[in-house]
Amino acid sequence: MTQLRWILMTCLVAHLACDPTTTTSGAEAEDPNLWLEELRSERALQWVEEHNRRSTSRLEATAKFETLLTDAQHVLGESAHLPLADIKGQYAYGFWQDEDNPRGVWRRATVSSYLAGEPQWKILLDLDELAEREDEDWAWSGSSCLEPKYERCMIGLSRSGIAATIWREFSVSEGSFLEGGFELPEAQSNFAWLNEDTLFVATDWGDGKMGDAYSLVAKFWQRGQSPSEATTVIDASDGGTSVWPETVYRPEGRFAWVGVSKGWLDTSYYAVADGGELTLLPCSSACEPRGYLDGRILFEPRNDWSHNGNHYHKGSLVAVDVESLQSELVYAPNPSESVRSVHVGRSVVFVDVLRNVESVAMRFERHDDAWTHSEIDLPGGGVIQLAPIRGGRGESSNPESNGLLISHEGIKEPPTLYYLSDEGDLRQIFRLQPSWKTEDVRVEQRWAQSADGTNVPYFIAARRDVLESGDAPVMLFGYGGFHIPVLPRHRPIHGKLWIDHGGVYVIANIRGGGEFGAAWHEAALKQGRQNAFDDFYAVAESLVADGVTRPERIGIWGASNGGLLTAVALTQRPELFGAVISEVPVIDMLRYTKLGGRDWIDEYGDPEHPEEGSFLRSISPYHNVREDADYPPVLLVSSSMDDVVHAGHARKLVARLQEVGADVLYYEATEGGHAGTGLASGAAYDWSLQYAFLHDTVFGSSEP
């Protein structure tokens, strides 16, 4: 591939202009750093190279870097992961990476061997071999197999782990990609199987009908057709931002629907008949589909919703009959709860409910026109992940199942995988051993009071002696956006590289996330976003007031929307923190919609709207760097290949901070997308750089 072709491909994949500065408003024309938005210009790449060299040289020379790198390589190795798998028909399918398979293998084992805890794996696809044969930097993006036989699968491959993915049809029995099979172009596609010869697809059809990241057209694509011959089901190019085709397989047939978004909080859903006819579903733009069982769609209303004389509160779980359109309540969370995930078995529904930010597994059944539920007995606290067992039509397999796989973990409890049988018997299958010193670690949930009086929870984890002595170095993590909860998961990287060294690890459950449902999220939308920032400051101030630490020993860390959070904290409250890490951040809040972020207007607001734009200017980190401020040391991290958040955001803030003489380091990875590289070696190096920065700043001379 020529360099010119690679550059053009990169820009097209990210759905970003190679030069976003072609047209500028008056305010933009005054921005001297617009050239840093040019991802692949020679001048910008030279700037990146100089900063990478300066930052890596400084961080690799710190006292702890080599130790941190060795430890990171260890905890990200084979012993740090459960052999998780999806049970489909007769087999358990899973993806696995280790030292011998750095890119990973897709493999399967018989259900009986897997549930016995002794899986006999057979490799179906070796990504290292495929990458070498095709001379591509492939990373795994997932699989989608056609029920109920699971013989044909679509395999997702992305270059260097970016979001844009190529999907290819794979024959499981032959162990190879199907010659002449379905293949989706490199894009952020959404698709589902309709039958063995038809996909329901939204992808880059080559017609220019794309939003910032996603397709605006969904089609029925039959085997043997060219993309232009596929049947259009819906075209949302007039005002839409994306379309989302879905299908659900049940023994009685397959149900299809499609979501049409005008923003990520405004999606209408339509039932799709076999011929492509559309029927608008009730609760449409105000609800999110969560599952399908016995002719009923399970919805979660985002707003309070009334239907046929029934009233449902936002965040409830509601079942709607697709023929009669009658609705009924499945579950109404209380104010301390939130529905996190919904999974459908043969005749039951499993729900992961967050209760004060920790998981509770529930089982729901419908009898005599009413829903009942019971809690599944699991170790208290922590986080769970549910995976229903899918049936199939192979020999000795059940058509469907009410069985369930449940993983459970906590900050100091390594993941354990359980199997819940159809009869309700629970047994342990796999359990990891700790890869860091958990025995003397204390984990607590505490609460802070925000500026408007709202109580905000946070988790704190550290060695007992560290908490008792006080004045400890703290790593405070936050996110606060897009209805995504930050949960007390087991993260060996934080345990080994921070807690083991005498650091305090803190997770702030601030507004904007999904910890307490829709209301908790809505409190930080648009002009309410200051609530999320104030919550974060309240947690930091609580740590100081309780004697855990002092401001100069608090390092804050956030990524993506969390990178915006920590960058705002830098500009609004620099005196409250001793170090700041802002990773793959959204920074320029007046230009984020021109850098691939139009889908986020529902979350942040529109820079072109007078009131919303004024607020965005008031919080935009790029526009609020002050010459008279005393900023703590800052590390910004991004990726040249990130096709979710443009690297220009981080680059420009670095340049602005340098203009006022701040101590700022910048590292831009040249591999890996928004979530980083898919290789453990690259991830270990990235983690080590960032923790070396924290050890060198907030630990100081007191580090053991």
Side-chain angles (χ1 to χ4, degrees), residues 445-458 508-511 520 530-546 573 576:
Q445 186 182 45
R446 299 183 181 182
W447 298 76
Q449 190 172 81
S450 194
D452 65 355
T454 299
N455 290 322
V456 179
Y458 63 96
N509 299 116
I510 62 179
R511 281 174 285 182
W520 195 251
Q530 188 62 45
N531 288 328
F533 307 145
D534 290 343
D535 292 356
F536 196 62
Y537 309 150
V539 172
E541 290 167 341
S542 175
L543 293 168
V544 173
D546 290 347
R573 296 293 304 274
L576 189 54

Side-chain angles (χ1 to χ4, degrees), residues 314-495:
K314 66 177 69 176
S316 300
L317 194 61
V318 179
V320 177
D321 189 295
V322 296
E323 292 188 1
S324 69
L325 300 185
Q326 294 299 308
S327 60
E328 54 197 26
L329 180 68
V330 179
Y331 186 68
N334 66 43
S336 67
E337 295 180 335
S338 171
V339 172
R340 178 170 170 245
S341 66
V342 178
H343 308 270
V344 179
R346 180 186 68 239
S347 59
V348 303
V349 176
F350 299 103
V351 181
D352 175 4
V353 173
L354 290 181
R355 182 177 295 160
N356 283 328
V357 204
E358 295 187 300
S359 290
V360 177
M362 293 186 177
R363 174 187 169 115
F364 291 79
E365 297 183 76
R366 188 176 186 272
H367 298 291
D368 300 324
D369 298 329
W371 291 84
T372 61
H373 71 272
S374 58
E375 294 187 10
I376 299 171
D377 188 17
L378 291 168
V383 182
I384 62 173
Q385 197 75 30
L386 307 180
I389 293 175
R390 306 298 183 190
R393 294 182 182 170
E395 295 179 5
S396 74
S397 66
N398 296 322
E400 285 293 321
S401 171
N402 282 331
L404 184 70
L405 296 177
I406 309 172
S407 66
H408 176 274
E409 62 187 288
I411 290 179
K412 60 180 289 186
E413 291 81 28
T416 299
L417 186 66
Y418 298 93
Y419 166 57
L420 181 71
S421 71
D422 279 38
E423 295 75 28
D425 297 325
L426 186 73
R427 75 169 187 265
Q428 178 180 309
I429 305 175
F430 303 105
R431 179 179 177 82
L432 287 185
Q433 295 303 311
S435 56
W436 54 286
K437 301 172 184 176
T438 61
E439 60 273 7
D440 293 325
V441 170
R442 190 167 79 199
V443 177
E444 299 175 2
Q445 186 182 45
R446 299 183 181 182
W447 298 76
Q449 190 172 81
S450 194
D452 65 355
T454 299
N455 290 322
V456 179
Y458 63 96
F459 289 90
I460 182 170
R463 295 197 321 245
R464 296 178 185 276
D465 63 308
V466 171
L467 288 177
E468 291 169 358
S469 62
D471 192 27
V474 168
M475 191 276 275
L476 170 60
F477 179 85
Y479 186 79
F482 295 92
H483 202 269
I484 297 173
V486 178
L487 303 177
R489 294 184 176 279
H490 188 75
R491 293 289 186 248
I493 197 76
H494 300 314

Side-chain angles (χ1 to χ4, degrees), residues 233-282:
V233 175
I234 195 161
D235 184 334
S237 56
D238 184 14
T241 59
S242 59
V243 293
W244 304 84
E246 300 265 1
T247 66
V248 175
Y249 169 77
R250 302 294 298 173
E252 62 271 19
R254 194 177 298 272
F255 178 75
W257 70 72
V258 62
V260 181
S261 297
K262 295 183 178 179
W264 90 273
L265 290 177
D266 183 7
T267 302
S268 298
Y269 294 95
Y270 299 82
V272 182
D274 291 344
E277 299 84 4
L278 302 177
T279 302
L280 183 66
L281 294 171

